[in-house]
Structure formats: C-alpha cells, structure tokens
C-alpha cells in the first residue's frame, strides 16, 4: 500500500468545488482528501462524483507527489457503490470511509474496493481510512481497525462525535479522553491514528494547541479544512530539533551499549532501555523522511 506515514497535513477539498482543486494541488499539504460526503449537499453528489472521477483519471494528478485520498459517502448510503467506482483510480492511495460502526461494513467496502480496482485497472492496492466519529465507532475502534489488512489508519471525527451528544467541541478534557482512547485502539491494531479537523479555521492558536496534544499522544497528523491550517499541521507534526538530536544520541549510545552487553543506560540524564531506543529510531526515520537529517 502507498506510503502514508509522512502525512502531517491532510487537506479536505469538497468534490463539489472543482475551482479549489488546482489550489489544493499546488499547496503544501502532504495529503489531499477529496470529499463526497458531508461537505457536499445531497443535490450535488452526482456532480461532485463526476468532477472527482475526471480529476483522478486525469494525466497530471499523479505528478503532484501528494498522498491522494477520497472520502466517499457511508457504506449504507445510496451513493456508496457509484462513489467507489468513480474515485478508485490509479494513484489513489487511500479510500476514506465515514461513520464506520461495524466490521461487516468494512468487509463490504473491501469487496466494493476490490471490484473497482479490477474494473479501473488499479494495480497498487488502495488502503482504507476508517473515520471514528460516533460513540459506537469509538467503542469498537480496535475491532474495526482489525477487520481487514487494508485498514491503514483511523482518523478521528470530533464534530460528528460530539455535536449529537452535546459535548463541547472545545472542552480539552473531553478531546483528550477521546484522543487517548482512539490512539490506544489504533496502536493495538497496528494502524495509525489521525487527528480531527478543526472547524474554527481563524483560530490558529487553538489548532496548534490541539495538534500539539495529538502529536504528544502519537498521532501522525491532523486533518485541515482550510489552506491556512496546512502549515500549522506541517510544523506541529515534525519532530523538533531537540528531539532529533536526543534520538541521535540514544541511537549512538545504544550501539555502544550493545557492544558492551548493557541493556539500560543513561542519555541526557534519563534512563534509556529497549522501548526508548525503538522510539528514537522512529523519530530518526520520520526526520529522514521529512529531509531533516
Ligand atoms: N481547499 C483548497 N482551497 C481552499 C480550501 C480548501 N479546502 N478552502 C478555501 N480555499 C481557498 C479559497 O478558494 C480561497 O482561495 P483564493 O484566495 O484563491 O480565492 C482561499 O483558500 C481562502 O479561502 P476563504 O475565502 O477563507 O474560504 P471560503 O470562505 O472560500 O471557504 C470553507 C471556507 C470552510 C467553506 C472552505 O475552506 C471549505 O469548504 N473547506 C473544506 C470543508 C470540508 O471539506 N469539510 C469536510 C471535512 S470536515
Ligand atoms: Mg462529518
């Protein structure tokens, strides 16, 4: 499946607004998520689908170097099969399923996805992103993530999760609790966790604060709904220079400790053993992928 670990930012682009496509493709987002679901009104679903089919079938789309994602309507909707057939094209990395609540939905989506891959000459398997955006989805997040090896990651959806329950979207304790719960489910299933969109796009401070929490919890990036959020996410989800330097010292100390047959030792005034070395290697791999040394 496509490489998605370097996905600090993922910009949503409504399929019904083709005038935004070019701007999105020229921008700095690591990934683009073309949307057929909540950002497209019921009356515009067919137009949006046709616009995305044209875009994703076009000759130039793959040259953009971004991770390409399409969010389709829910499996249970009348739009689902037509959506999947339209957007599963060579170059699509990930298919994003909204409002997932059962493993049977995931398996049905895989069947539709495989059929579309065969029909449209897609040879690189497309991965799945399962939105966790309901109380039930959150409770079942681990089972959903394990339902099929195509599942690559779990994006969190806080608008859909909180609004019907009348939980305040900007209640930090609630956001934190949900983030931890989903992160542990994703970690147990071996897929990545992806942070939620932030609707108040003029509030850069708020976006940054939420992204920082997500990163400290091991999320790999944050959804963006406006181009002004992309740079904030790209900054938040890169390891800091201090973290990279520390990771390098841990890796060096580990090589030395291995040679001496020592398992636990001190780096920068703190104990290091196997799990810390594992993390340091992950930080260095991320830094390398981002061209940070
Ligand atoms: N992708 C690409 N370009 C975008 C964009 C997006 N998601 N959102 C805004 N832009 C562009 C605008 O076209 C405008 O370009 P211009 O300066 O060349 O005219 C510029 O960025 C500034 O946009 P602005 O005028 O502030 O926004 P808007 O009022 O046109 O739209 C939103 C605001 C929130 C409606 C719009 O950003 C949007 O639809 N976002 C995505 C929503 C979505 O997909 N939601 C579902 C997932 S939660
Ligand atoms: Mg939604």
């Amino acid at each position: 499946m496509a490489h998605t670990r370097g996905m600090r930012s993922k910009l949503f682009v409504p399929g019904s607004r083709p005038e935004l496509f070019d701007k999105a493709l020229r921008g700095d987002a690591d990934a683009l998520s073309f949307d057929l679901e909540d950002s497209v009104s019921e009356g515009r679903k067919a137009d949006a689908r046709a616009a995305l089919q044209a875009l994703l079938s076009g000759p130039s789309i793959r040259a953009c170097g971004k991770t390409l994602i399409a969010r389709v309507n829910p499996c249970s909707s009348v739009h689902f099969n037509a959506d999947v057939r339209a957007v599963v094209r060579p170059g699509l990395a990930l298919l994003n399923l909204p409002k997932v609540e059962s493993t049977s939905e995931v398996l049905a989506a895989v069947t539709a996805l495989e059929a579309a891959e065969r029909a449209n000459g897609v040879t690189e398997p497309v991965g799945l992103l399962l939105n966790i955006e309901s109380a039930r989805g959150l409770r079942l997040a681990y089972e959903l993530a394990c339902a099929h090896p195509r599942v690559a990651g779990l994006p969190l959806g806080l608008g859909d999760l909180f609004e019907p329950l009348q939980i305040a979207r900007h209640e930090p304790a609630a956001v934190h609790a949900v983030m931890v719960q989903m992160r542990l489910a994703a970690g147990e299933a071996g897929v990545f966790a992806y942070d939620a969109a932030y609707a108040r796009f003029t509030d850069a401070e708020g976006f940054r604060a939420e992204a920082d929490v997500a990163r400290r919890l091991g999320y790999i990036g944050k959804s963006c709904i406006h181009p002004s959020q992309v740079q904030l996410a790209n900054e938040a989800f890169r390891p800091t220079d201090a973290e990279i330097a520390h990771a390098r010292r841990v890796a060096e100390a580990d090589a030395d400790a291995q040679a001496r047959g020592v398992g636990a030792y001190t780096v920068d005034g703190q104990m290091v053993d196997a799990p810390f070395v594992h993390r340091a290697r992950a930080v260095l791999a991320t830094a390398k992928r981002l061209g940070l040394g």
Side-chain angles (χ1 to χ4, degrees):
M1 274 186 287
H3 299 287
T4 49
R5 296 273 157 181
M7 204 163 78
R8 300 162 299 173
S9 52
K10 163 172 88 61
L11 177 63
F12 272 109
V13 187
S16 53
R17 294 190 63 189
E19 74 279 10
L20 301 185
F21 294 174
D22 238 25
K23 189 174 171 114
L25 286 163
R26 281 186 280 105
D28 291 327
D30 290 336
L32 297 178
S33 186
F34 295 100
D35 188 29
L36 293 174
E37 200 225 1
D38 279 346
S39 73
V40 177
S41 67
E42 202 56 33
R44 301 288 316 280
K45 297 286 190 194
D47 290 348
R49 185 188 301 134
L52 282 196
Q53 176 168 337
L55 176 76
L56 294 167
S57 310
S60 56
I61 184 82
R62 296 174 77 168
C64 75
K66 298 181 185 301
T67 300
L68 298 175
I69 304 169
R71 184 169 76 170
V72 291
N73 287 286
C75 290
S76 56
S77 74
V78 293
H79 307 294
F80 180 73
N81 283 311
D83 285 354
V84 173
R85 274 197 307 273
V87 299
V88 173
R89 302 278 151 181
L92 189 79
L94 295 161
L95 188 71
N96 184 191
L97 307 181
K99 303 184 174 66
V100 182
E101 293 196 328
S102 72
T103 54
S104 57
E105 267 175 89
V106 178
L107 298 179
V110 170
T111 302
L113 173 57
E114 288 174 344
E117 286 174 347
R118 284 192 299 274
N120 298 339
V122 175
T123 51
E124 178 102 355
V126 175
L128 287 177
L129 295 182
L130 309 182
N131 281 9
I132 300 301
E133 49 187 351
S134 66
R136 184 180 164 87
L138 184 59
R139 178 169 57 80
L140 297 176
Y142 166 76
E143 281 80 1
L144 298 172
C146 290
H148 197 278
R150 290 277 187 134
V151 179
L154 304 182
L156 183 59
L158 290 178
D160 279 286
L161 176 63
F162 282 178
E163 294 305 316
L165 299 174
Q166 297 178 38
I167 297 173
R169 171 63 182 83
H170 297 280
E171 173 58 51
V175 172
H176 191 268
V178 167
M179 277 188 187
V180 171
Q181 188 177 345
M182 200 197 78
R183 174 68 185 104
L184 293 176
E188 185 179 2
V191 303
F192 63 78
Y194 208 84
D195 192 24
Y198 193 85
R200 288 182 185 167
F201 62 83
T202 55
D203 178 9
E205 272 317 300
F207 183 96
R208 201 177 279 122
E210 200 166 272
D212 284 344
V213 173
R215 191 177 87 86
R216 288 201 297 276
L217 294 174
Y219 281 67
I220 68 161
K222 186 165 179 60
S223 295
C224 304
I225 48 105
H226 192 273
S228 62
Q229 297 177 326
V230 166
Q231 202 48 43
L232 301 174
N234 286 350
E235 282 161 18
F237 289 92
R238 63 150 279 187
T240 65
D241 293 340
E243 283 166 339
I244 297 169
H246 175 73
R248 198 165 286 128
R249 285 192 290 276
V250 169
E252 281 161 12
D254 180 60
D256 180 56
Q258 292 293 336
R260 293 186 289 119
V262 175
Y265 41 92
T266 305
V267 177
D268 295 342
Q270 64 187 64
M271 186 211 69
V272 167
D273 62 6
F276 296 91
V277 175
H278 184 83
R279 192 216 185 102
R281 294 215 178 95
V283 169
L284 293 176
T286 304
K288 190 169 174 201
R289 210 181 39 242
L290 297 173
L292 302 171

